[in-house]
Amino acid sequence: EMLVGPSKALLMDEISTGLDSSTTFQIVKFIRQFVRVMDGTMLMSLLQPAPETYNLFDDIILLSEGYVVYQGDREHVLEFFESMGFKCPERKGVADFLQEVTSKKDQEQYWSDKDAPYRYVTAKEFSEAYSHYRGGQQLAADLRIPYDKTKSHPAALETKKYTMSNWDLFKACFSREWLLMKRNSFLYIFKTTQITIMSLITMTVFLRIKMKHETIADGGKYFGALFFSLINVMFNGFAELAMTVSRLPVFYKQRDFLFYPSWAFALPIYVLRIPLSVLESALWIILTYYTIGFAPSAS
């Protein structure tokens, strides 16, 4: 959903949780293509990604114990650790190696300098060593240069609350609501059929040529028929209540992310539901109004 907006910087935290490696690879591959096409930036945190997923990234940021152990080109990460005396075996995935080489429990197995005794290298020492490594020095040099604001594109900073005009927002929400109605067409056909059948049953319950209205008891019959009609028409619309409630979490999320205002979501629902409500009420009135005897002169 966030890809729909004007955002060019995507910050993603543990998006692979609960996903298999194949699905994670497909998602990261798609986002990588999006970033390349839209000239955006993606910062994603992953825990032990598969080798094919790891190879999709351009730069790597390795964090350990609150320190930035490495931040730079993916192709040079192994070179840095080899300069520190640690080598990734050919059988080992690079992502797994990066996670274990900073661990006190697993670090020793990657020590490659057999002539020198092994000594545990802390994350702080890795971080300090990287600051003197050519990649770290180049990064520090780049950060010292002030950003040239004249290179900023006018569209880089969004100045409007919503990305589209009110009319475009309404049309977009209206199109979505119309699509949902077509997908759920069976529900509306069922509701119309249901109220038609109920009106036919009501005709047989209150069927009379002329309803008397001289006494209080006669008035009770009027109110009973009216109340029964009201309850049927009202409960006929309850079928959509569960669908509406299930959509609320999505609405709240999209509203808070400024996809659209609340009125743009609610107004199309009213516009499309009112004709259906009028149709259902008209069917009920046409089939029951005269047969029950609400209008004696017409009977």
Side-chain angles (χ1 to χ4, degrees), residues 103-123:
S103 171
K104 188 174 184 179
K105 181 178 64 175
D106 302 317
Q107 187 184 88
E108 185 176 1
Q109 61 180 313
Y110 300 113
W111 181 252
S112 59
D113 190 357
K114 303 302 180 181
D115 297 330
Y118 164 74
R119 181 184 65 85
Y120 172 64
V121 181
T122 64

Side-chain angles (χ1 to χ4, degrees), residues 276-292:
L276 291 174
S277 299
V278 171
L279 174 63
E280 294 172 3
S281 301
L283 286 173
W284 182 273
I285 293 172
I286 291 171
L287 294 175
T288 63
Y289 189 74
Y290 296 108
T291 54
I292 290 178

Side-chain angles (χ1 to χ4, degrees), residues 121-221:
V121 181
T122 64
K124 182 179 180 181
E125 291 175 314
F126 275 125
S127 179
E128 292 174 351
Y130 183 70
S131 64
H132 297 92
Y133 185 68
R134 67 172 184 272
Q137 292 178 345
Q138 181 62 43
L139 178 63
D142 293 340
L143 293 176
R144 291 192 197 100
I145 302 175
Y147 178 70
D148 186 3
K149 295 183 179 180
T150 59
K151 296 181 180 179
S152 297
H153 192 276
L157 182 62
E158 187 64 36
T159 57
K160 297 185 297 182
K161 187 174 182 180
Y162 301 104
T163 57
M164 297 187 295
S165 64
N166 290 339
W167 176 244
D168 290 333
L169 288 171
F170 173 77
K171 289 195 297 183
C173 292
F174 186 90
S175 299
R176 181 180 66 173
E177 196 63 32
W178 176 246
L179 178 62
L180 291 174
M181 285 189 64
K182 290 192 292 185
R183 288 180 179 177
N184 300 321
S185 58
F186 173 78
L187 172 66
Y188 301 104
I189 295 173
F190 174 80
K191 286 175 55 183
T192 305
T193 305
Q194 181 185 37
I195 200 167
T196 303
I197 295 174
M198 289 302 300
S199 62
L200 293 173
I201 295 174
T202 305
M203 289 167 51
T204 62
V205 174
F206 295 96
L207 182 62
R208 63 196 69 245
I209 298 175
K210 181 179 180 180
M211 182 179 288
K212 297 180 181 180
H213 50 81
E214 287 81 9
T215 64
I216 296 178
D218 295 334
K221 297 177 183 178

Side-chain angles (χ1 to χ4, degrees), residues 27-146:
I27 293 175
V28 176
K29 181 180 178 181
F30 168 77
I31 297 176
R32 182 174 183 265
Q33 293 174 345
F34 169 82
V35 169
R36 293 292 176 85
V37 172
M38 302 301 294
D39 193 22
T41 301
M42 174 184 65
L43 180 62
M44 181 184 298
S45 66
L46 293 176
L47 185 63
Q48 289 183 304
E52 59 272 14
T53 303
Y54 170 82
N55 292 332
L56 292 175
F57 291 89
D58 297 321
D59 297 312
I60 300 297
I61 301 176
L62 181 61
L63 304 177
S64 179
E65 300 178 8
Y67 294 97
V68 179
V69 175
Y70 180 88
Q71 180 179 353
D73 195 341
R74 171 178 56 84
E75 297 179 355
H76 297 155
V77 63
L78 294 181
E79 180 182 337
F80 165 69
F81 282 101
E82 288 177 1
S83 67
M84 297 291 295
F86 299 94
K87 186 175 182 179
C88 177
E90 294 182 0
R91 58 177 172 79
K92 194 74 173 180
V94 179
D96 294 334
F97 165 76
L98 294 178
Q99 182 176 352
E100 295 176 0
V101 74
T102 56
S103 171
K104 188 174 184 179
K105 181 178 64 175
D106 302 317
Q107 187 184 88
E108 185 176 1
Q109 61 180 313
Y110 300 113
W111 181 252
S112 59
D113 190 357
K114 303 302 180 181
D115 297 330
Y118 164 74
R119 181 184 65 85
Y120 172 64
V121 181
T122 64
K124 182 179 180 181
E125 291 175 314
F126 275 125
S127 179
E128 292 174 351
Y130 183 70
S131 64
H132 297 92
Y133 185 68
R134 67 172 184 272
Q137 292 178 345
Q138 181 62 43
L139 178 63
D142 293 340
L143 293 176
R144 291 192 197 100
I145 302 175

